[in-house]
Amino acid sequence: KGYSSTVIQKVFESGESLIFTGSDEGEALQSKSIVMHNLKSIMVVPMVVGGEFMGIAYVDSSLAKGLFNESDLEVFRSLATQVAVGIKNARLADQEALQRELQKDLELTAAVQNMFLPRTSSESFGDVQLHAQFRPAALCSGDWWWYRRQECGSVCGIIADVTGHGAGPAMLTASVATCFILKELEASDLSLPDTIKRAHETIHKVASGEYLMSLFAFQINPERTKLEFWSAGHPLAVAVSKNNEIELFGSAGRMLGMSDFKLGYGERSLGKGDRIFLYSDGLTETMVGEGRMFGERRLMKFLTASNDLPGDKLISGILQKVDDLRETDRQDDDITCLVVDVGRS
């Protein structure tokens, strides 16, 4: 109370320091507060640091006209600059503290998410070997993968990708993972596709369409002669035979969480030495030289050229190839690769 808002507004709009020396000027400015409070001297300075407006420093007196002069104004500017720097530093310190807290939260979210991933990235089930690598673009990821050997001897696995990456998708993958973990804990008789449908219901209810999940699941029969697969809007899988014959395969489907969700189904025969390669779209959609994506054709060429490599070495080689060709230093999307080898030594 008691200050001149008109003068402050003028300084705010002009960005210039001002001195006022009497009520006559107040009348000229049409400032009621100057006249009402009999303000005889006013000095106002904008507080600016590096072009950023931080506020206004204001001082007035009702004792005498002409109390402030240019020398006073210069001192006041210096004080205002010091105050502005202090305010900015305090804000930066607050922002840094907030960033540290957010970083801790993200690290905790990432740690929790990792608990829902398989404990090992390589596993052998007799003549079936699985190798995977999960590489998030940030601390938290929207990608998720999983595998299990059923009591009947069949081997099944899943690779999934929630739209986006970060804390939100990571939390959603954890809720989906819970559907499959509970199935095991409860010794549920739900089939793999039924569990996938239950995961869809969870996403649809929790995310309400804000997040969606693509998914590719497979099941290899105990005799290792047949592969059943289910797809929900996920990139096609790649099959590579021991003789380097290559084929893309999949089935039509709609992503988990969509109101018109549909789980596609298909099956194919398996031969000794067959390799199945699954991946999230962060791999093929990585932008490489000349503004092009890494793409499926480049991927298939690499898979056939490196067909003799063990599964873990194959994945490492692909990721290294992507890194070598990537346009930017920063990985833009989560990448997960899963290799399934049948009857390979």
Side-chain angles (χ1 to χ4, degrees):
K1 294 180 179 180
Y3 63 87
S4 174
S5 58
T6 303
V7 173
I8 289 177
Q9 184 64 30
K10 185 174 180 64
V11 172
F12 174 74
E13 291 174 354
S14 68
E16 300 292 334
S17 303
L18 291 176
I19 297 177
F20 293 90
T21 59
S23 58
D24 292 342
E25 290 181 82
E27 291 174 356
L29 284 169
Q30 297 181 338
S31 173
K32 294 181 181 179
S33 56
I34 289 179
V35 177
M36 181 184 303
H37 300 292
N38 193 28
L39 301 177
K40 294 184 172 64
S41 297
I42 302 173
M43 186 164 53
V44 188
V45 175
M47 296 191 297
V48 179
V49 179
E52 183 180 357
F53 180 82
M54 309 300 295
I56 284 176
Y58 170 100
V59 63
D60 65 29
S61 173
S62 59
L63 298 178
K65 292 183 180 181
L67 187 62
F68 307 121
N69 56 35
E70 289 296 329
S71 297
D72 298 322
L73 185 62
E74 192 62 34
V75 173
F76 201 39
R77 282 198 190 101
S78 177
L79 291 172
T81 298
Q82 292 179 45
V83 173
V85 170
I87 291 172
K88 185 166 186 176
N89 288 340
R91 290 180 181 177
L92 289 173
D94 288 343
Q95 291 174 2
E96 290 175 1
L98 178 59
Q99 287 295 328
R100 287 194 295 270
E101 290 300 318
L102 290 174
Q103 182 74 7
K104 289 179 182 178
D105 289 344
L106 287 174
E107 290 172 355
L108 178 59
T109 302
V112 172
Q113 183 187 24
N114 285 331
M115 294 178 185
F116 289 94
L117 293 170
R119 292 288 181 259
T120 60
S121 58
S122 295
E123 190 62 77
S124 178
F125 301 103
D127 53 353
V128 177
Q129 288 82 42
L130 279 77
H131 303 278
Q133 189 162 340
F134 161 76
R135 197 170 75 175
L139 276 175
C140 305
S141 167
D143 282 11
W144 175 69
W145 67 283
W146 173 88
Y147 64 83
R148 282 294 180 272
R149 181 174 185 169
Q150 311 283 42
E151 290 185 6
C152 64
S154 63
V155 176
C156 59
I158 291 174
I159 185 170
D161 180 8
V162 176
T163 51
H165 54 268
M171 294 172 68
L172 196 60
T173 60
S175 66
V176 169
T178 302
C179 295
F180 293 87
I181 293 171
L182 285 177
K183 175 182 181 296
E184 298 175 24
L185 294 176
E186 297 168 355
S188 171
D189 292 332
L190 281 177
S191 64
L192 181 57
D194 286 339
T195 308
I196 294 170
K197 291 173 184 176
R198 185 169 69 174
H200 153 69
E201 292 168 0
T202 299
I203 296 175
H204 186 64
K205 184 175 181 179
V206 171
S208 302
E210 185 175 351
Y211 293 109
L212 305 173
M213 173 182 272
S214 69
L215 175 145
F216 195 103
F218 66 88
Q219 183 167 289
I220 300 172
N221 67 348
E223 295 76 29
R224 313 305 190 228
T225 58
K226 184 175 73 173
L227 176 81
E228 293 182 277
F229 56 89
W230 296 265
S231 181
H234 200 79
L236 297 174
V238 187
V240 187
S241 71
K242 192 71 172 177
N243 299 323
N244 247 5
E245 296 172 346
I246 193 165
E247 177 189 355
L248 290 169
F249 69 95
S251 56
R254 305 282 285 174
M255 298 173 75
L256 280 71
M258 297 183 72
S259 57
D260 56 348
F261 164 73
K262 177 185 176 183
L263 186 60
Y265 171 77
E267 57 182 61
R268 57 178 288 121
S269 60
L270 280 177
K272 186 175 182 180
D274 281 356
R275 165 171 284 170
I276 306 299
F277 184 82
L278 306 173
Y279 60 95
S280 59
D281 60 13
L283 175 66
T284 51
E285 292 181 2
T286 296
M287 300 305 295
V288 296
E290 300 179 356
R292 298 178 180 178
M293 293 189 293
F294 186 77
E296 293 176 348
R297 184 173 298 180
R298 204 186 307 262
L299 171 62
M300 290 191 291
K301 183 178 180 180
F302 188 93
L303 290 175
T304 53
S306 309
N307 198 21
D308 292 334
L309 289 177
D312 55 344
K313 301 297 184 184
L314 175 74
I315 294 175
S316 298
I318 290 175
L319 294 178
Q320 185 61 56
K321 182 72 172 179
V322 169
D323 290 343
D324 291 342
L325 296 175
R326 192 170 59 220
E327 288 182 333
T328 61
D329 294 334
R330 183 177 180 274
Q331 181 179 314
D332 293 325
D333 196 5
D334 308 318
I335 298 177
T336 302
C337 300
L338 174 60
V339 172
V340 185
D341 287 334
V342 180
R344 291 196 178 198
S345 56

XYZ file of all heavy atoms in Angstrom, residues 103-166:
501
model
N 15.347 -36.559 -10.687
C 16.320 -37.578 -11.089
C 16.239 -38.782 -10.165
O 16.272 -39.936 -10.608
C 17.725 -36.985 -11.080
C 18.826 -37.940 -11.537
C 18.824 -38.157 -13.030
O 18.076 -37.505 -13.764
N 19.650 -39.081 -13.499
N 16.121 -38.517 -8.864
C 15.990 -39.614 -7.904
C 14.725 -40.421 -8.164
O 14.728 -41.650 -8.102
C 15.973 -39.064 -6.478
C 17.304 -38.531 -5.988
C 17.189 -37.995 -4.570
C 18.506 -37.407 -4.078
N 18.370 -36.846 -2.707
N 13.629 -39.712 -8.462
C 12.363 -40.392 -8.742
C 12.477 -41.267 -9.988
O 11.978 -42.396 -10.015
C 11.239 -39.372 -8.927
C 10.842 -38.693 -7.615
O 11.213 -39.224 -6.552
O 10.179 -37.646 -7.663
N 13.147 -40.731 -11.033
C 13.316 -41.501 -12.258
C 14.207 -42.716 -12.022
O 13.947 -43.799 -12.556
C 13.917 -40.616 -13.356
C 12.973 -39.573 -13.969
C 13.743 -38.677 -14.923
C 11.805 -40.241 -14.690
N 15.255 -42.531 -11.231
C 16.132 -43.660 -10.933
C 15.385 -44.740 -10.166
O 15.583 -45.933 -10.398
C 17.345 -43.169 -10.131
C 18.312 -42.325 -10.957
C 19.398 -41.699 -10.110
O 19.353 -41.844 -8.869
O 20.306 -41.054 -10.692
N 14.531 -44.320 -9.244
C 13.728 -45.282 -8.494
C 12.752 -45.996 -9.413
O 12.591 -47.224 -9.335
C 12.966 -44.566 -7.374
C 12.034 -45.435 -6.525
C 12.809 -46.569 -5.850
C 11.303 -44.596 -5.491
N 12.109 -45.246 -10.313
C 11.179 -45.852 -11.271
C 11.900 -46.858 -12.163
O 11.395 -47.946 -12.426
C 10.525 -44.764 -12.143
O 9.851 -43.824 -11.297
C 9.521 -45.369 -13.109
N 13.102 -46.480 -12.628
C 13.884 -47.382 -13.473
C 14.277 -48.644 -12.711
O 14.239 -49.757 -13.258
C 15.133 -46.669 -13.984
N 14.644 -48.478 -11.437
C 15.026 -49.640 -10.624
C 13.842 -50.580 -10.434
O 13.980 -51.808 -10.516
C 15.548 -49.176 -9.267
N 12.664 -50.012 -10.188
C 11.459 -50.838 -10.032
C 11.134 -51.543 -11.340
O 10.795 -52.733 -11.366
C 10.271 -49.973 -9.565
C 8.978 -50.775 -9.601
C 10.526 -49.450 -8.152
N 11.249 -50.807 -12.463
C 10.961 -51.419 -13.758
C 11.886 -52.608 -14.023
O 11.455 -53.637 -14.536
C 11.106 -50.393 -14.870
C 10.732 -50.964 -16.245
C 11.032 -50.007 -17.375
O 11.897 -49.132 -17.249
N 10.318 -50.137 -18.467
N 13.153 -52.460 -13.692
C 14.108 -53.550 -13.914
C 13.751 -54.807 -13.132
O 14.110 -55.917 -13.529
C 15.524 -53.092 -13.556
C 16.108 -52.166 -14.604
O 15.767 -52.249 -15.781
N 16.980 -51.266 -14.181
N 13.045 -54.627 -12.016
C 12.616 -55.785 -11.239
C 11.613 -56.650 -11.997
O 11.455 -57.836 -11.695
C 11.991 -55.322 -9.920
C 12.952 -54.643 -8.971
S 12.095 -54.079 -7.471
C 13.420 -53.202 -6.635
N 10.928 -56.041 -12.974
C 9.916 -56.775 -13.727
C 10.488 -57.406 -14.999
O 9.762 -58.027 -15.766
C 8.746 -55.848 -14.088
C 7.902 -55.478 -12.908
C 8.140 -54.305 -12.211
C 6.873 -56.306 -12.488
C 7.363 -53.955 -11.120
C 6.096 -55.967 -11.393
C 6.331 -54.793 -10.704
N 11.779 -57.212 -15.228
C 12.438 -57.840 -16.368
C 13.069 -59.153 -15.924
O 13.345 -59.350 -14.737
C 13.519 -56.913 -16.920
C 13.037 -55.615 -17.557
C 14.223 -54.690 -17.835
C 12.252 -55.872 -18.829
N 13.321 -60.077 -16.859
C 14.013 -61.320 -16.495
C 15.353 -61.031 -15.834
O 16.020 -60.035 -16.146
C 14.197 -62.026 -17.841
C 13.073 -61.510 -18.686
C 12.905 -60.073 -18.274
N 15.729 -61.882 -14.906
C 16.967 -61.668 -14.147
C 18.212 -61.814 -15.019
O 19.257 -61.243 -14.749
C 17.025 -62.649 -12.972
C 15.983 -62.366 -11.902
C 16.337 -61.112 -11.117
N 15.372 -60.831 -10.071
C 14.414 -59.931 -10.162
N 14.296 -59.211 -11.280
N 13.562 -59.722 -9.173
N 18.115 -62.630 -16.059
C 19.253 -62.840 -16.952
C 18.838 -62.521 -18.380
O 17.678 -62.718 -18.763
C 19.764 -64.289 -16.888
O 18.706 -65.187 -17.268
C 20.222 -64.631 -15.478
N 19.782 -62.036 -19.170
C 19.483 -61.701 -20.563
C 19.737 -62.870 -21.506
O 19.475 -62.761 -22.701
C 20.324 -60.499 -20.997
O 21.697 -60.781 -20.846
N 20.257 -63.972 -20.984
C 20.457 -65.185 -21.775
C 19.963 -66.377 -20.977
O 20.182 -66.454 -19.765
C 21.936 -65.378 -22.135
O 22.403 -64.345 -22.975
N 19.286 -67.290 -21.650
C 18.750 -68.472 -20.977
C 18.703 -69.626 -21.962
O 18.495 -69.439 -23.159
C 17.348 -68.184 -20.439
C 16.794 -69.267 -19.528
C 17.625 -69.467 -18.273
O 17.523 -68.659 -17.337
O 18.407 -70.444 -18.270
N 18.952 -70.821 -21.439
C 18.924 -72.021 -22.270
C 17.888 -72.984 -21.720
O 17.879 -73.283 -20.523
C 20.312 -72.675 -22.292
O 20.282 -73.868 -23.053
N 16.996 -73.436 -22.585
C 16.014 -74.460 -22.248
C 16.261 -75.667 -23.130
O 15.555 -75.916 -24.108
C 14.590 -73.927 -22.457
C 14.267 -72.703 -21.642
C 14.249 -71.450 -22.241
C 13.999 -72.804 -20.293
C 13.951 -70.323 -21.494
C 13.694 -71.678 -19.539
C 13.674 -70.433 -20.144
N 17.313 -76.407 -22.817
C 17.684 -77.535 -23.656
C 18.144 -77.062 -25.015
O 19.170 -76.374 -25.135
N 17.388 -77.380 -26.056
C 17.780 -77.011 -27.413
C 17.221 -75.652 -27.842
O 17.297 -75.291 -29.014
C 17.329 -78.088 -28.402
C 15.853 -78.406 -28.281
O 15.210 -77.882 -27.350
O 15.334 -79.187 -29.102
N 16.651 -74.894 -26.907
C 16.169 -73.541 -27.201
C 16.985 -72.545 -26.385
O 17.049 -72.649 -25.157
C 14.673 -73.384 -26.866
C 14.235 -71.941 -27.107
C 13.837 -74.336 -27.706
N 17.638 -71.619 -27.082
C 18.412 -70.580 -26.404
C 17.775 -69.210 -26.662
O 17.381 -68.917 -27.800
C 19.868 -70.557 -26.899
C 20.713 -71.725 -26.447
C 20.506 -72.958 -27.307
O 20.433 -72.850 -28.531
N 20.404 -74.119 -26.692
N 17.681 -68.422 -25.612
C 17.146 -67.070 -25.724
C 18.215 -66.064 -25.322
O 18.929 -66.268 -24.341
C 15.927 -66.874 -24.814
C 14.575 -67.376 -25.317
C 14.473 -68.887 -25.191
C 13.440 -66.714 -24.540
N 18.314 -65.007 -26.101
C 19.223 -63.901 -25.792
C 18.458 -62.600 -26.029
O 17.735 -62.470 -27.010
C 20.466 -63.934 -26.686
C 21.238 -65.203 -26.606
N 22.145 -65.462 -25.597
C 21.230 -66.304 -27.410
C 22.668 -66.668 -25.790
N 22.136 -67.194 -26.880
N 18.640 -61.646 -25.134
C 17.939 -60.371 -25.276
C 18.815 -59.238 -24.781
O 19.733 -59.434 -23.978
C 16.617 -60.389 -24.512
N 18.526 -58.054 -25.278
C 19.160 -56.843 -24.759
C 18.136 -55.722 -24.759
O 17.432 -55.496 -25.744
C 20.387 -56.437 -25.577
C 21.162 -55.306 -24.909
C 22.584 -55.187 -25.435
O 23.141 -56.123 -26.004
N 23.195 -54.032 -25.255
N 18.073 -55.052 -23.616
C 17.106 -53.987 -23.385
C 17.884 -52.702 -23.181
O 18.705 -52.603 -22.271
C 16.285 -54.365 -22.139
C 15.561 -53.232 -21.466
C 14.404 -52.711 -22.004
C 16.027 -52.709 -20.263
C 13.726 -51.681 -21.359
C 15.353 -51.692 -19.613
C 14.201 -51.178 -20.176
N 17.675 -51.698 -24.057
C 18.440 -50.462 -23.959
C 17.498 -49.261 -24.046
O 17.060 -48.878 -25.133
C 19.500 -50.392 -25.063
C 20.575 -49.354 -24.774
C 21.732 -49.463 -25.733
N 21.405 -48.928 -27.033
C 22.292 -48.823 -28.033
N 23.542 -49.248 -27.853
N 21.942 -48.331 -29.186
N 17.170 -48.688 -22.895
C 16.235 -47.558 -22.889
C 16.869 -46.287 -23.436
O 18.084 -46.099 -23.371
C 15.878 -47.406 -21.411
C 17.071 -47.953 -20.687
C 17.604 -49.061 -21.539
N 16.034 -45.403 -23.969
C 16.521 -44.116 -24.461
C 16.777 -43.156 -23.308
O 17.596 -42.255 -23.414
C 15.508 -43.502 -25.430
N 16.048 -43.350 -22.210
C 16.231 -42.554 -21.000
C 16.342 -43.528 -19.832
O 16.439 -44.745 -20.031
C 15.065 -41.587 -20.822
N 16.305 -43.017 -18.612
C 16.390 -43.893 -17.452
C 15.261 -44.911 -17.450
O 15.452 -46.072 -17.109
C 16.334 -43.061 -16.162
C 17.649 -42.450 -15.683
C 17.404 -41.558 -14.478
C 18.668 -43.520 -15.351
N 14.065 -44.448 -17.812
C 12.893 -45.325 -17.823
C 12.501 -45.641 -19.257
O 12.741 -44.853 -20.161
C 11.725 -44.659 -17.099
S 12.108 -44.146 -15.419
N 11.863 -46.775 -19.445
C 11.590 -47.246 -20.792
C 10.145 -47.726 -20.927
O 9.529 -48.172 -19.966
C 12.547 -48.396 -21.133
O 12.127 -49.066 -22.305
N 9.651 -47.641 -22.160
C 8.347 -48.208 -22.471
C 8.453 -49.611 -23.025
O 7.435 -50.242 -23.325
N 9.678 -50.116 -23.177
C 9.879 -51.479 -23.686
C 9.843 -52.484 -22.532
O 10.175 -52.149 -21.386
C 11.229 -51.592 -24.400
C 11.186 -51.001 -25.804
O 10.191 -50.331 -26.129
O 12.152 -51.201 -26.558
N 9.483 -53.704 -22.881
C 9.471 -54.773 -21.884
C 9.581 -56.103 -22.615
O 9.076 -56.257 -23.731
C 8.171 -54.736 -21.069
C 8.014 -55.868 -20.092
C 8.735 -56.078 -18.959
C 7.078 -56.946 -20.169
N 8.310 -57.206 -18.315
C 7.278 -57.762 -19.040
C 6.076 -57.296 -21.084
C 6.533 -58.909 -18.802
C 5.325 -58.440 -20.849
C 5.559 -59.235 -19.707
N 10.280 -57.080 -21.998
C 10.334 -58.430 -22.559
C 10.283 -59.444 -21.429
O 10.541 -59.137 -20.271
C 11.584 -58.621 -23.422
C 12.880 -58.603 -22.677
C 13.545 -57.528 -22.197
C 13.664 -59.745 -22.314
N 14.696 -57.906 -21.551
C 14.792 -59.271 -21.611
C 13.518 -61.122 -22.514
C 15.778 -60.126 -21.120
C 14.502 -61.963 -22.018
C 15.612 -61.470 -21.330
N 9.977 -60.678 -21.787
C 9.691 -61.696 -20.766
C 9.771 -63.071 -21.421
O 9.530 -63.226 -22.620
C 8.306 -61.426 -20.207
C 7.725 -62.421 -19.251
C 7.879 -62.453 -17.896
C 6.850 -63.513 -19.565
N 7.159 -63.492 -17.355
C 6.513 -64.161 -18.363
C 6.311 -64.004 -20.760
C 5.679 -65.273 -18.312
C 5.476 -65.106 -20.715
C 5.177 -65.725 -19.493
N 10.129 -64.098 -20.645
C 10.114 -65.469 -21.163
C 9.849 -66.439 -20.021
O 10.105 -66.143 -18.852
C 11.443 -65.824 -21.847
C 12.632 -65.834 -20.919
C 12.924 -66.943 -20.126
C 13.482 -64.733 -20.831
C 14.020 -66.953 -19.262
C 14.574 -64.729 -19.973
C 14.834 -65.846 -19.196
O 15.904 -65.852 -18.349
N 9.365 -67.612 -20.362
C 9.129 -68.664 -19.384
C 9.107 -70.027 -20.083
O 8.750 -70.137 -21.258
C 7.783 -68.477 -18.654
C 7.791 -67.422 -17.550
C 8.691 -67.814 -16.379
N 8.687 -66.794 -15.327
C 9.490 -65.770 -15.284
N 10.366 -65.565 -16.246
N 9.436 -64.908 -14.288
N 9.465 -71.036 -19.320
C 9.280 -72.415 -19.775
C 8.079 -72.999 -19.032
O 8.032 -72.967 -17.802
C 10.524 -73.262 -19.498
C 10.365 -74.706 -19.977
C 11.650 -75.474 -19.814
N 11.544 -76.818 -20.373
C 12.552 -77.624 -20.548
N 13.774 -77.234 -20.193
N 12.392 -78.828 -21.066
N 7.122 -73.497 -19.772
C 5.905 -74.047 -19.175
C 6.164 -75.459 -18.640
O 7.139 -76.125 -19.032
C 4.770 -74.099 -20.217
C 4.591 -72.788 -20.989
C 3.874 -71.733 -20.200
O 4.125 -71.548 -19.018
N 2.982 -71.029 -20.862
N 5.276 -75.898 -17.763
C 5.424 -77.235 -17.183
C 5.372 -78.326 -18.248
O 6.000 -79.377 -18.109
C 4.323 -77.471 -16.144
C 4.491 -76.640 -14.875
C 3.459 -76.990 -13.829
O 2.696 -77.945 -14.061
O 3.403 -76.314 -12.789
N 4.635 -78.084 -19.313
C 4.520 -79.078 -20.385
C 5.783 -79.165 -21.229
O 5.915 -80.060 -22.074
C 3.319 -78.758 -21.269
S 3.466 -77.177 -22.145
N 6.727 -78.217 -21.037
C 7.968 -78.234 -21.808
C 8.020 -77.192 -22.905
O 9.074 -76.986 -23.516
N 6.910 -76.538 -23.170
C 6.917 -75.487 -24.189
C 7.649 -74.249 -23.654
O 7.731 -74.027 -22.451
C 5.488 -75.123 -24.600
O 4.785 -74.597 -23.498
N 8.174 -73.452 -24.566
C 8.883 -72.223 -24.218
C 8.128 -71.056 -24.832
O 7.778 -71.081 -26.018
C 10.329 -72.245 -24.743
C 11.016 -70.909 -24.464
C 11.106 -73.385 -24.119
N 7.860 -70.033 -24.031
C 7.147 -68.875 -24.550
C 7.892 -67.599 -24.195
O 8.695 -67.568 -23.255
C 5.713 -68.820 -24.024
S 5.571 -68.755 -22.242
N 7.634 -66.569 -24.955
C 8.289 -65.295 -24.717
C 7.468 -64.146 -25.277
O 6.578 -64.344 -26.114
N 7.780 -62.947 -24.817
C 7.045 -61.742 -25.223
C 8.022 -60.590 -25.367
O 8.963 -60.453 -24.588
C 5.970 -61.359 -24.177
C 4.835 -62.369 -24.158
C 5.408 -59.960 -24.441
C 3.818 -62.117 -23.060
N 7.778 -59.748 -26.363
C 8.429 -58.448 -26.460
C 7.327 -57.430 -26.656
O 6.379 -57.664 -27.416
C 9.471 -58.414 -27.601
C 10.216 -57.083 -27.588
C 8.843 -58.672 -28.959
C 11.428 -57.049 -28.515
N 7.400 -56.312 -25.939
C 6.321 -55.324 -25.975
C 6.902 -53.925 -25.930
O 8.023 -53.710 -25.471
C 5.362 -55.543 -24.809
N 6.106 -52.961 -26.394
C 6.573 -51.585 -26.486
C 5.406 -50.634 -26.254
O 4.457 -50.612 -27.031
C 7.182 -51.362 -27.875
C 7.697 -49.938 -28.073
O 7.725 -49.170 -27.101
O 8.066 -49.608 -29.223
N 5.480 -49.868 -25.155
C 4.469 -48.844 -24.890
C 4.838 -47.580 -25.659
O 6.011 -47.234 -25.772
C 4.389 -48.530 -23.377
C 3.395 -47.395 -23.110
C 3.973 -49.767 -22.613
N 3.848 -46.906 -26.218
C 4.105 -45.658 -26.935
C 4.807 -44.661 -26.025
O 4.420 -44.466 -24.882
C 2.785 -45.043 -27.441
O 1.852 -44.973 -26.353
C 2.187 -45.877 -28.547
N 5.875 -44.033 -26.550
C 6.652 -43.079 -25.768
C 7.671 -43.781 -24.899
O 7.817 -45.007 -24.924
N 8.408 -42.985 -24.129
C 9.332 -43.540 -23.156
C 9.417 -42.584 -21.975
O 9.018 -41.437 -22.053
C 10.735 -43.775 -23.757
C 11.348 -42.586 -24.400
N 11.203 -42.307 -25.745
C 12.081 -41.562 -23.894
C 11.841 -41.190 -26.034
N 12.388 -40.711 -24.928
N 9.902 -43.077 -20.865
C 9.925 -42.271 -19.655
C 9.156 -42.938 -18.537
O 8.819 -44.131 -18.600
